[in-house]
Amino acid sequence: MWKDFRAFIARGNIVDLAVAVVIGGAFGTIVKSFVDDIVMPPIGLLLGRVDFTNLFVVLKDGTKAPPPYATLADAQTAGAVTMNYGVFVSNVVAFVIVALVVFLAIKYSARLYAKPIAPADTKPCPMCAMPIPLAAKRCPHCTSQL
């Protein structure tokens, strides 16, 4: 059983999948930071100094502190039930960026694979070297018998 498991793990596609998962996780962290630290602050600034991480609606007040809550962390510390639509917007932007990168990677990786070569449907005439159909009995250019 150990041999079978080792053979399964050592197969190339399993190792490739493991590497892809690890790199995908690291890429997700980079995209999250890109969205939270670079993309969303200018968008929030354009929308009137809005911090998207602190956009929330209080569904039920907390028992530890009365509203209003200045930040999402304050509301959560007070035990309030909140709907965090700002975090959702940030996650949607992160998803769109990841989807765009995956789309571009697939689109451009398709160019790396060689396209199958179509079988030849012509051959050169032995007399005039012009291309003629494979089934031709006489060259249409020089009229030589093939």
Side-chain angles (χ1 to χ4, degrees), residues 19-34 98:
V19 169
V21 167
V22 170
I23 290 176
F27 181 70
T29 304
I30 291 169
V31 169
K32 179 91 172 116
S33 175
F34 177 72
V98 169

Side-chain angles (χ1 to χ4, degrees), residues 68-102:
Y69 307 109
T71 65
L72 179 60
D74 291 345
Q76 290 175 339
T77 302
V81 179
T82 60
M83 184 173 16
N84 310 325
Y85 64 91
V87 175
F88 176 74
V89 169
S90 294
N91 289 334
V92 168
V93 171
F95 170 77
V96 169
I97 290 172
V98 169
L100 176 68
V101 169
V102 169

Side-chain angles (χ1 to χ4, degrees), residues 121 123 131-140 144-146:
D121 58 351
K123 62 181 179 182
I132 57 172
L134 290 174
K137 305 277 187 225
R138 185 178 292 268
C139 177
S144 64
Q145 190 73 26
L146 303 174

Side-chain angles (χ1 to χ4, degrees), residues 42-92:
I43 292 174
L45 187 63
L46 289 173
L47 295 176
R49 299 185 188 275
V50 176
D51 180 11
F52 278 87
T53 58
N54 288 320
L55 293 178
F56 62 95
V57 173
V58 178
L59 300 176
K60 183 178 179 205
D61 293 335
T63 57
K64 297 178 186 173
Y69 307 109
T71 65
L72 179 60
D74 291 345
Q76 290 175 339
T77 302
V81 179
T82 60
M83 184 173 16
N84 310 325
Y85 64 91
V87 175
F88 176 74
V89 169
S90 294
N91 289 334
V92 168

Side-chain angles (χ1 to χ4, degrees), residues 115-121:
K115 294 181 179 153
I117 299 172
D121 58 351

